[in-house]
Amino acid sequence: MRSSIFGNLDGQPLPPGFALQNGKMLRVQLPEVLAKQGSMVAFQGRMDFDYEGSGGLGKLFKKAMTGEGASLMRVRGEGLLYLADNADDIHLFYLENEGLTVNGRNLLAFQPQLSWDIQRVQGAGVAAGGLFNTTITGTGWVAVTTHGTPVLLDAAQMPTYADGQSAVCWSTSLQVGVNRTVKAGALIGRGSGEAMQLAFNGQGFVLVQASEGAPVVQAS
């Protein structure tokens, strides 16, 4: 797997398709892409925008039951498409017959040949409040957003833990569980009572953003 954070580690040119216009804007060379609904900020050429929804009745039901999954649009045509989401930072991953688990609210765009579904995070079900994410598999580009500059953690180096709201995406090859803080009063993670974090083990990475998500604006 190659990413915009690590760069191209093997020295070979990255496949065409997605590119960062800048740190907060994605440039996509069509003919086709699946993107977060409402993320288009500009385009050059001729394009058709179709509501993709949740990708079928099965995924629509999962989204309604879990609250996971972004509403998608399918864009077809010729030219350059520019995507952004609230000026959040954008990071690219190129999957090579691999899988990526993504928090639905952080998913910006991916190429149409990739498969996707809404799945329960293995090992973090009832204990973590029934955590569901969007899983993307295959070969092609995926673009995700982060609130602030993230860190890419190599879980193979040592046991790795992250707040469930701060973990943006991770390799599907990782084993995921729940870690409970020994002291119930420790102010680590979110929620009341005993603090919990997602625990990651195995060969793969975890992308962690610099916050627990965008702050909620209180109505005056």
Side-chain angles (χ1 to χ4, degrees):
M1 184 181 298
R2 289 174 279 184
S3 80
S4 61
I5 297 178
F6 276 155
N8 190 10
L9 298 182
D10 60 13
Q12 298 300 316
L14 288 172
F18 283 22
L20 292 178
Q21 182 66 27
N22 55 57
K24 300 181 183 298
M25 187 177 297
L26 174 67
R27 184 179 73 246
V28 181
Q29 175 75 55
L30 294 189
E32 187 174 356
V33 69
L34 285 162
K36 188 173 187 177
Q37 188 180 8
S39 61
M40 185 275 291
V41 294
F43 67 92
Q44 293 178 296
R46 294 187 177 184
M47 301 180 189
D48 291 322
F49 296 81
D50 296 314
Y51 177 65
E52 184 71 11
S54 297
L57 290 177
K59 293 173 185 174
L60 179 63
F61 177 76
K62 290 181 182 179
K63 181 179 178 182
M65 293 296 293
T66 65
E68 170 62 22
S71 295
L72 299 172
M73 60 181 180
R74 186 179 295 268
V75 187
R76 299 183 180 92
E78 297 180 353
L80 296 174
L81 173 67
Y82 297 88
L83 302 172
D85 188 19
N86 294 320
D88 282 347
D89 291 346
I90 299 174
H91 307 280
L92 302 181
F93 294 93
Y94 186 75
L95 306 183
E96 297 177 286
N97 196 26
E98 298 167 287
L100 188 68
T101 295
V102 186
N103 190 319
R105 67 181 181 180
N106 296 100
L107 180 60
L108 180 63
F110 58 95
Q111 291 186 304
Q113 70 268 23
L114 291 166
S115 300
W116 68 281
D117 199 359
I118 298 171
Q119 297 180 349
R120 181 189 296 274
V121 176
Q122 295 296 321
V126 176
L131 181 61
F132 290 81
N133 269 4
T134 301
T135 299
I136 300 175
T137 56
T139 297
W141 284 108
V142 181
V144 301
T145 61
T146 64
H147 188 64
T149 303
V151 60
L152 193 65
L153 303 176
D154 185 355
Q157 297 298 315
M158 62 185 69
T160 301
Y161 308 91
D163 182 276
Q165 301 299 318
S166 298
V168 171
C169 63
W170 58 85
S171 307
T172 56
S173 56
L174 290 175
Q175 295 178 337
V176 184
V178 173
N179 178 65
R180 291 185 175 87
T181 305
V182 175
K183 297 180 180 179
L187 297 178
I188 301 177
R190 300 190 70 144
S192 59
E194 187 177 44
M196 295 185 297
Q197 308 89 41
L198 294 178
F200 301 93
N201 289 282
Q203 297 291 327
F205 72 88
V206 185
L207 182 67
V208 181
Q209 65 185 0
S211 77
E212 294 178 339
V216 177
V217 178
Q218 300 294 334
S220 58

